[in-house]
Each structure stands twice: as C-alpha cells, then as structure tokens.
Amino acid sequence: MNEVFYTYLEFDADCEQIAQSLKRSGRKFKNVWGPPKGGIILAVVLAYALNISLLLSESEISADTLIADDIVDFGHTLEKFSGKNFIVALFYHRLSTVVPNIWLREK
C-alpha cells in the first residue's frame, strides 16, 4: 500500500472549496456536526466559514444540521444520516454505502 500524504495546505484549500460550494448552493444550515475524531476538525472549520453553530452532541442533530466527515470509507458512521442530512466529506471511497452530497477526493 502506498502512503499518501495530505498536507495542512491541502486540507485548508479543501475546506475553503467545500465552504464555497455550500455558500453557492444557497442551502442554509442551522449548525454542523462531525463524528469524533476526524470529522470534528472539518466541522469546526466549516462552522467558522459558514458562521453557524458547532454541535458537539450527536443527540442535538436535526434535519437542518450539516454533517461533515473527513473520510467516508465504508459509510457505517454516516448511514443514519443518509437521506436525512446534507453530508460533506474530504475523502470518499467508492465501496461506501453512503455517498456524500459533496466530496472532494477519492480514497
């Protein structure tokens, strides 16, 4: 397996690209939530970029919550949100059971 390095500069540019795509879409979100560990980092950046609240508790998620994750590998973490919430991800794997609404890189 080849190692792939993902730099902070790439992460920063990808976060900006997702934020701009969300702004252009005209969709409005009340807040954003990301699964701990990896998703929370993207969720924090998007909360600032979109000027919305960050949720730390999954129990507070509603239909107008944006779901943000770093990698959608198999989809198990996000299955319960698929079709109910708008989902964004930095990386997406084709074999995942969940396809994010916006994703930037294929794993």
Side-chain angles (χ1 to χ4, degrees), residues 19-85:
Q20 290 305 316
S21 293
L22 290 168
K23 288 176 184 178
R24 282 191 306 272
S25 77
R27 291 187 65 107
K28 300 293 181 203
F29 302 98
K30 180 178 178 184
N31 43 44
V32 59
W33 178 82
K37 300 180 182 179
I40 192 72
I41 299 166
L42 176 58
V44 167
V45 173
L46 291 176
Y48 279 104
L50 301 173
N51 197 28
I52 57 177
S53 300
L54 173 69
L55 292 182
L56 297 178
S57 174
E58 185 177 338
S59 65
E60 298 178 58
I61 294 172
S62 65
D64 54 357
T65 299
L66 174 65
I67 307 297
D69 205 355
D70 58 344
I71 301 171
V72 180
D73 226 349
F74 299 104
H76 304 304
T77 304
L78 302 178
E79 281 178 341
K80 59 186 149 203
F81 307 111
S82 184
K84 298 176 188 168
N85 294 85

